[in-house]
Each structure stands twice: as C-alpha cells, then as structure tokens.
Amino acid sequence: RSRPRRLDASGPDSDIVLSTRVRLARNLQGYAFGPRSRVNDRRAVLRRVTRTAARVDLLAEANVHPLADLDPGTRRILLERRLISQDLLGERSETGPQRAAAVVLSTREPVSVMVNEEDHLRLQVLVSGLALEAAWSLVDRLDEDLGQELPYAYDHELGFLTSCPTNVGTGLRASVLIHLPGLVLTKEIGRVLRGLSQVGLTFRGLYGEGSEVVGNFFQVSNQTTLGKTEEDLVDHLDRMVRQVIEYERRERRVLLRDAYQVTEDKIWRAYGLLRYARSISFEEMMNLLSGVRLGAALKLLPGLRVYSLNKIMIFAQSAHLEEAAGRKLPPGECDVHRATYVRRILATEGVVIPDKEPPQSGSDAVPDP
C-alpha cells in the first residue's frame, strides 16, 4: 500500500505543522440530504458521482471505492490516514458503513471525495505542512470542475446548502494539524486556545470532531462558514495559525533557555522508551512521540528525521499493524507489534547519538579530575 505523500514533511513549517486540510461540503439538487436522505437518493448520487469522476481532470486517475465493497481492515486504514471520517465509516451507528457510501481516491493528486457522508459530497485536499492557500486552490479547482458536471444545491441568499447549519454558506472547513509541546510544557496552551475561540476558530483531536487530543497534536479549524468568502476564511486561519507557530517557537526557546536539562532529559527519556519498549499502546506512543519530535526540532536528537516520526504516526496505528501482520491482533498483541515496529524504524532510519554534554553550572557541575 502506498505511503501518503504528506509524510515527507516537505511543506512549510513542517517541524510544527504536520498537515493542512481544506474540505468543501456540497449537496446535489433534486436529492434529499442529511437526516431526510433516503437510500434511493444516496444510490442515485453515487451513480452520478461515479459517472462524473472520469470527466474531471483532478479525478481522471481516481478510483471510486464503495465502502460496502471494502473489508473492515481497509476501511479502518482509510480512517487512520484521515481520508474518510468516522461518520462515513459508520462507527457511530450499529449498521456499519452507510449504504451507498463511498470514497473517491486519486492516485496522482492529494485530493479525495467522500460520497454520502453527512452531505452528498465532501471534497478534500490533504497536504504536508502549513499550505492553506495551495490546498484551497486545489480543492477550489476540483469544486469548479465538479460543479460544471453536477447541479449543486445553492441558495442565492444563503449560499451552498448543507446538512449542518454551521456549514451553510461556503461549506468550507479548513484545518491544520499542529504540534504544540512548547506551549503545553510552559502551561501557555490554555491561553492560546482561548484566544483561538475568541477569533472564531476551534480545535479538535487527531481524528477531528469527537476525538481526544493526544501527544500535544491539535487540529485547529474555522467554526462557521456563513457571511464570509472562502478566501477570507482561509486567510484568517492562515494568519492565526502563523501567530500560534510563533508562540510555539518562542516557548521552545524559553525551554532551552530556562529549563535545558529538564527538557533534554524529558526528550531522551521519551526516545529511550520508544527505542527499547517491548509493548506500547497508541496513546502512550503518541505522547512519547511528542517529546521525540520536539527533540528532533530542537536538534537535541541529531540524525532523526521528521519523516520517520510521521511514518510511525501512520503505520503504528492498529489497522496498519494488522495489515502488516495479515491478521486481526488482540489489543495486547497489537501493542507488542507496535513496539516492534517503532524499534525497527528508530534503529534503521537515523541513528541518534548525543553530540554534546549539557551545560553544567553551580553545585551540579562535575570538577575536572
């Protein structure tokens, strides 16, 4: 299975921002959507999208995957790669994947389309680093091309009509997955998150709405879409995230200046546990990865690439481990496989050797013999 391109950490500010996603919610005229949507409506929408995809340039090399045709492991892998949502997966209902739900995946571009989730269509672009303008440009192009082929549900006063009132208008949700250990360790994170909420932004966990924050990874996004243009929403989020990045860099400098030895010890302890643990849960791994990622960014763990850490975040998730093992893994055994995978990556993709001793002063200094 191919590796997501965004793992390469090639995007701007990728030492702090893991990825950028811009998503558009769209519905089609003539078909009920949201809670009123019927099976026949969803099937008809899927047929139209399947016929249309081949005529759209950005989807010319895409494949349409009805979720009902995918085995549970593959569906979970798509969720772990953030290519589908928990709602599309059907985890929040007892009936499994929604009937006529599908995902359109491009083999060439970082674009995908969820079909028959909360709305008929969720167009999305997912790229490395802080690249909101580039992601918006790409999804806007996809939207324009699809809009030439499909009749979108649109009101001249309200804008694009969506299932959730907070998406009415542009239907746009832009988000950035950002790593903020400096703000957490210096206890400034609460103030920053309150500031984001005051300017119309919100934050979620790794998998979006309803997920917990783990490993100091926050998904920051716009809250509403009505009354502003898409460009305004993207620009506002971009400016606010750049401020947060500067705050995070400032707090990292504070840690090096005021708590060097404590910070270095925390980072190396995290690396040691990941490097030699024989069993580890996903949550513990993510929390330790936060320290190791901070160490790599601060050059306290020389030789360790962000790409390797990004790869661990994806491939050490449960469904990916089960695919590699070729079978279902009980929770305890899954933790063993996860630890084995992490040890292998850290042993083969960047040998970490301390390049210098930490500065010593006062009574802690060791006298020369």
Side-chain angles (χ1 to χ4, degrees):
R1 195 181 298 271
S2 62
R3 292 171 179 169
R5 296 179 185 177
R6 65 183 185 279
L7 293 185
D8 62 10
S10 61
D13 296 297
S14 57
D15 59 325
I16 293 179
V17 177
L18 279 75
S19 60
T20 294
R21 176 166 60 186
V22 179
R23 184 216 72 195
L24 293 173
R26 297 288 185 261
N27 288 289
L28 304 188
Q29 294 178 17
Y31 306 97
F33 54 88
R36 297 176 57 247
S37 177
R38 298 177 296 273
V39 173
N40 288 341
D41 290 316
R42 296 195 294 270
R43 288 175 175 168
V45 167
L46 178 56
R47 286 194 296 269
R48 293 199 66 165
V49 172
T50 300
R51 291 195 301 266
T52 300
R55 300 195 295 271
V56 173
D57 181 54
L58 287 173
L59 299 178
E61 297 181 22
N63 297 307
V64 180
H65 302 278
L67 261 65
D69 295 346
L70 302 178
D71 63 81
T74 300
R75 295 197 295 262
R76 293 287 300 172
I77 285 173
L78 293 175
L79 176 66
E80 291 178 351
R81 295 191 179 193
R82 299 172 63 216
L83 293 172
I84 66 173
S85 65
Q86 290 180 336
D87 283 336
L88 192 76
L89 183 67
E91 285 200 331
R92 293 175 180 166
S93 69
E94 298 179 357
T95 58
Q98 297 180 43
R99 298 173 71 180
V103 60
V104 184
L105 299 175
S106 173
T107 59
R108 186 182 63 182
E109 303 286 352
V111 301
S112 60
V113 181
M114 289 188 287
V115 184
N116 290 324
E117 194 232 31
E118 182 179 287
D119 294 288
H120 290 154
L121 302 177
R122 290 287 177 95
L123 323 180
Q124 60 182 12
V125 169
L126 190 57
V127 294
S128 170
L130 179 61
L132 281 160
E133 185 175 344
W136 157 242
S137 177
L138 199 55
V139 81
D140 181 44
R141 179 180 154 200
L142 176 61
D143 184 43
E144 287 289 333
D145 290 348
L146 281 173
Q148 295 294 321
E149 303 284 343
L150 299 171
Y152 286 155
Y154 184 85
D155 181 90
H156 289 288
E157 292 186 3
L158 296 175
F160 291 101
L161 303 180
T162 59
S163 299
C164 181
T166 59
N167 288 327
V168 170
T170 63
L172 180 143
R173 176 66 58 87
S175 64
V176 170
L177 185 60
I178 188 168
H179 184 223
L180 303 175
L183 288 164
V184 171
L185 290 172
T186 58
K187 303 186 186 306
E188 292 292 323
I189 190 65
R191 181 179 62 84
V192 170
L193 294 179
R194 286 192 297 273
L196 290 176
S197 67
Q198 291 169 1
V199 295
L201 302 180
T202 188
F203 72 94
R204 297 178 171 86
L206 188 64
Y207 298 111
E209 188 172 359
S211 63
E212 296 293 325
V213 173
V214 294
N216 303 319
F217 294 96
F218 299 81
Q219 192 171 159
V220 179
S221 65
N222 61 300
Q223 277 187 299
T224 57
T225 72
L226 188 61
K228 295 182 179 180
T229 67
E230 293 91 340
E231 290 79 7
D232 287 340
L233 292 168
V234 169
D235 179 68
H236 178 62
L237 179 61
D238 186 73
R239 286 186 288 108
M240 294 302 102
V241 170
R242 290 185 187 279
Q243 281 192 20
V244 174
I245 290 173
E246 181 51 42
Y247 294 152
E248 172 65 20
R249 295 198 188 282
R250 181 188 66 194
E251 296 309 310
R252 293 184 182 191
R253 292 192 293 269
V254 169
L255 289 173
L256 288 178
R257 185 192 68 207
D258 298 342
Y260 181 92
Q261 289 184 329
V262 172
T263 302
E264 185 187 42
D265 180 66
K266 184 182 291 289
I267 287 168
W268 276 96
R269 284 175 183 269
Y271 175 78
L273 283 170
L274 285 174
R275 178 67 181 84
Y276 296 105
R278 261 45 189 175
S279 176
I280 192 167
S281 68
F282 179 74
E283 183 175 356
E284 182 184 9
M285 183 198 75
M286 290 297 295
N287 289 328
L288 293 172
L289 270 179
S290 176
V292 172
R293 191 181 185 92
L294 176 62
L298 296 179
K299 309 301 182 186
L300 295 178
L301 294 175
L304 189 59
R305 297 185 300 163
V306 173
Y307 165 74
S308 300
L309 303 180
N310 288 349
K311 191 161 67 171
I312 289 173
M313 283 183 62
I314 297 294
F315 289 93
Q317 296 178 99
S318 298
H320 283 80
L321 293 172
E322 290 180 345
E323 183 187 48
R327 60 186 175 86
K328 188 78 173 174
L329 297 173
E333 191 175 355
C334 188
D335 292 348
V336 172
H337 279 248
R338 179 177 295 110
T340 301
Y341 176 78
V342 173
R343 289 199 312 273
R344 177 168 61 82
I345 294 299
L346 293 181
T348 59
E349 297 192 8
V351 178
V352 175
I353 302 174
D355 58 345
K356 64 180 180 178
E357 287 298 311
Q360 296 175 326
S361 61
S363 60
D364 293 331
V366 178
D368 293 331

